Amino acid sequence: MLFHLETMLGKVVHEWAGWLMVVGIMAHAVLNWHPLTSYFKRRLGAGIIAAGVAVAAVTMLPIGGVGENPMLGLAKAALSADAEILMQMTGHDVQAGTAILAANGIDIAPGQSLADVTGNDRGAQFAAL
């Protein structure tokens, strides 16, 4: 993610690795509870821990923008666009674009959008995009 090489597999691995890290941190804290609590007895240790908690809390706040990923807005626009506009956005003519989608199980006609033909199936929508 640092190098913006975002793939679906990378996202899934990143999310699950994050959960494994949380479990590991909790296990480490439980197994080392006495040494951990001794840090709170010194002002420097307590200050460092408090600063870390504060930074973590701030990262959860929706600040610095409208709060929605701009790529999600683009994806929503593409999903709701008519087939003709969608094909223009992707650089295909209507026949070639509909053929590509049809080969992948998505039947779309002029005047329809991907949202129309995929319903509420987010997986199918993003796979089609």
Side-chain angles (χ1 to χ4, degrees):
M1 291 183 171
L2 175 65
F3 300 107
H4 305 287
L5 300 172
E6 298 179 28
T7 63
M8 184 56 76
L9 180 60
K11 181 179 184 307
V12 170
V13 169
H14 184 86
E15 289 173 352
W16 282 103
W19 281 112
L20 290 174
M21 183 67 76
V22 168
V23 169
I25 290 168
M26 293 173 89
H28 180 73
V30 168
L31 294 172
N32 296 289
W33 187 252
H34 181 67
L36 177 67
T37 57
S38 69
Y39 288 114
F40 290 107
K41 295 177 183 171
R42 291 177 283 187
R43 291 182 70 155
L44 178 61
I48 291 170
I49 291 171
V53 169
V55 167
V58 167
T59 64
M60 307 261 181
L61 298 174
I63 57 177
V66 289
E68 184 177 282
N69 182 338
M71 294 307 291
L72 185 59
L74 288 172
K76 287 179 181 179
L79 287 169
S80 63
D82 288 343
E84 297 89 350
I85 295 170
L86 178 65
M87 299 315 159
Q88 288 175 354
M89 291 168 60
T90 61
H92 294 92
D93 63 43
V94 176
Q95 286 181 331
T98 55
I100 292 168
L101 288 173
N104 289 287
I106 305 288
D107 293 318
I108 190 168
Q112 288 185 310
S113 69
L114 283 176
D116 293 336
V117 298
T118 57
N120 291 328
D121 186 350
R122 289 279 186 203
Q125 289 175 351
F126 285 97
L129 283 177

